[in-house]
Amino acid sequence: MDHAKTRNTNIEFLRIMSIFSIMFLHMYRHASGGAIFDSGVSLNHLFLVLFGSWGLVGTFLFIIISSYFLIDSQEFKLGKLLNLVFCTSLYSVVSLCFSRAYLGDYISIKEIIKAVLSPALDSYWYITGYIVLYMLHPILNTVINKLTTIELSRVVVAGFVLCFVYKYIYVAAPIGNVELFLSVYFGMALFKRVQGTIDYRKIYFVGRCAALIVVFLGILHMLLYSRISIVKYIYAQSISKFSPFMLVIAFALFCMCINRRPSYSKSIGFLSRAVLPVYLIHESDYMSSILWDYIFKIEVIYSKSYFAILFLGIAVLIFSICVMVDFAIRPIYGFVANKVAEYISVCRQMGIQILPPDINHGVYGFSVDNGAIRYALSAIKSIGRPVIEGIVREREEHGEYTSLKTFVERNIDQINKRVVENLIKAGALDCLEGNRKQKMTIYTQIIDSINQDKKYTMAGQLSLFDIASEED
């Protein structure tokens, strides 16, 4: 199935904005020869504070989005992991070759080996962290499912204090990227568990306050950089990897995104495919100095009156080039990707009918249905095996599903909004009344209503138990 056509544009647009914020931060750091924090008072410096302080917000958004979708999955897909590793290695080698050709230097065997092994050598800290998280996520999900909400809350608080308070204050603390990823992952697990009861207005308020604090610190440092060194330290920490401000802002933006009505745009989906190449190219150790210090000479144009226009134009140009590079390179690593589409094409050429996924007839794997092949429910994005088996078991024990509401009611303990959304977009709920657009409009309301009714029912039961204990 073509998942690119059914991706939520809100999420994809957020990913695009995230990569731009990361580029802006890199330009911020290179605009004064790596010493941007001491560049003094100027309109250009103010522009950089306003636009270049949010790079780690973008990175945290990547971690949050990845965690949010991995939490529902219990399946480890080796092909997906190999595709990411191969793609990262390929872009690292390409970046190495381009940088050495631009500088007119030779490439050593040691450099080639380092580029190939870049996913494991922490050359791209987000990629390395994600790979570790992806390999561990089935185990982590099992652990999370066994924790009560209170226990999970304690784990989240402990992780936040260690990674975003202790590490923020004491920079030399022995806390690395893996701990950071795990902290965010457990936090997103708690968020998904209590998602229906959260007051998002408070989250938005805290996010805005965090953003204002960062801007205030940036402007304060710009004004007092030569007088109070502690301001520089606090501001630098506030836009660093372990900054609680960056995490809070990213989480607020993510909440704003998922609370908007899902929309779908082929153009945004196409552009979002370039997010990974943009990250791999401009984050590369080989390309970073080439891009900012040699090709675009950020340090030189920083002193120009039209710096703001060039700043934004360079970011758009780099993104556009990476879209074209990805379009050219993608076929090279395409063979590592999922082969389901290829198998389906072969079946159609042989005259074998391929039936879409269906919650009333499908099972976990591909199956035979009246001489045709029924698409596997497991091939639908971000739905784990336990969830699928639970849906199938409920159908076999109590009969087919007749409406979206009854489907949610019968599986409310094992599904969430993301699962239902993916089932709708994949066509697995087409057998129920209503079209996909109608289902996408009402499914969140149905889930919220059923969760609310369930909460009231539990509260009523507890009240009866209290009365009974008093009478005793």
Side-chain angles (χ1 to χ4, degrees), residues 5-6 56 75 132 159 200 202 231 246 261 277 292 306 310 315 324 338 352-353 386 388 433 436 456:
K5 295 180 180 179
T6 57
L56 271 301
E75 205 171 13
V132 174
Y200 289 97
K202 294 180 180 179
V231 176
M246 298 291 103
R261 178 176 295 181
W292 310 127
Y306 47 85
L310 291 175
M324 293 184 286
N338 197 321
I352 301 174
Q353 185 182 6
I388 295 173
E433 59 182 355
R436 295 187 192 182
Y456 288 149

Side-chain angles (χ1 to χ4, degrees), residues 165-193:
V165 178
Y166 177 56
K167 179 69 173 180
Y168 175 76
I169 297 173
Y170 181 54
V171 183
I175 298 173
N177 298 332
V178 174
E179 291 87 347
L180 183 147
F181 269 80
L182 291 177
S183 176
V184 176
Y185 192 82
F186 277 92
M188 292 309 296
L190 178 62
F191 168 72
K192 296 196 78 169
R193 186 173 292 187

Side-chain angles (χ1 to χ4, degrees), residues 20 22-32 36 48 292 298 301 307 310-312 314-315 318:
F20 271 99
I22 295 173
M23 283 194 288
F24 290 163
L25 177 63
H26 287 180
M27 284 191 276
Y28 187 179
R29 290 173 173 171
H30 282 266
S32 191
I36 185 60
L48 286 175
W292 310 127
I298 298 296
I301 67 172
F307 169 72
L310 291 175
F311 181 92
L312 298 174
I314 289 171
I318 291 176

Side-chain angles (χ1 to χ4, degrees), residues 212-356:
L212 289 174
I213 291 173
V214 172
V215 172
F216 172 76
L217 289 172
I219 295 176
L220 187 64
H221 165 62
M222 180 180 70
L223 298 174
L224 305 175
Y225 76 98
S226 62
R227 300 184 182 92
I228 306 177
S229 59
I230 188 63
V231 176
K232 169 184 176 179
Y233 173 81
I234 295 175
Y235 175 58
Q237 282 297 98
S238 298
I239 62 174
S240 68
K241 187 188 302 184
F242 293 93
S243 167
F245 301 109
M246 298 291 103
L247 176 64
V248 169
I249 296 168
F251 182 64
L253 289 172
F254 177 77
C255 289
M256 292 176 63
C257 176
I258 62 172
N259 276 329
R260 293 177 61 87
R261 178 176 295 181
S263 59
Y264 309 96
S265 169
K266 291 183 179 179
S267 57
I268 295 295
F270 174 78
L271 291 175
S272 69
R273 289 171 51 181
V275 166
L276 180 60
V278 174
Y279 176 81
L280 294 176
I281 290 174
H282 88 276
E283 186 83 3
S284 167
D285 294 337
Y286 310 111
M287 287 297 297
S288 182
S289 60
I290 296 294
L291 281 175
W292 310 127
D293 299 335
Y294 290 91
I295 298 178
F296 295 111
K297 299 180 179 179
I298 298 296
E299 186 178 1
V300 175
I301 67 172
Y302 176 63
S303 59
K304 306 295 182 182
S305 59
Y306 47 85
F307 169 72
I309 298 175
L310 291 175
F311 181 92
L312 298 174
I314 289 171
V316 173
L317 177 61
I318 291 176
F319 188 88
S320 302
I321 292 174
C322 288
V323 170
M324 293 184 286
V325 170
D326 179 64
F327 184 79
I329 293 182
R330 186 171 289 269
I332 298 177
Y333 61 86
F335 70 91
V336 186
N338 197 321
K339 296 296 183 180
V340 172
E342 180 181 337
Y343 298 150
I344 290 176
S345 176
V346 172
C347 289
R348 286 173 176 165
Q349 292 175 6
M350 297 174 63
I352 301 174
Q353 185 182 6
I354 305 296
L355 300 177

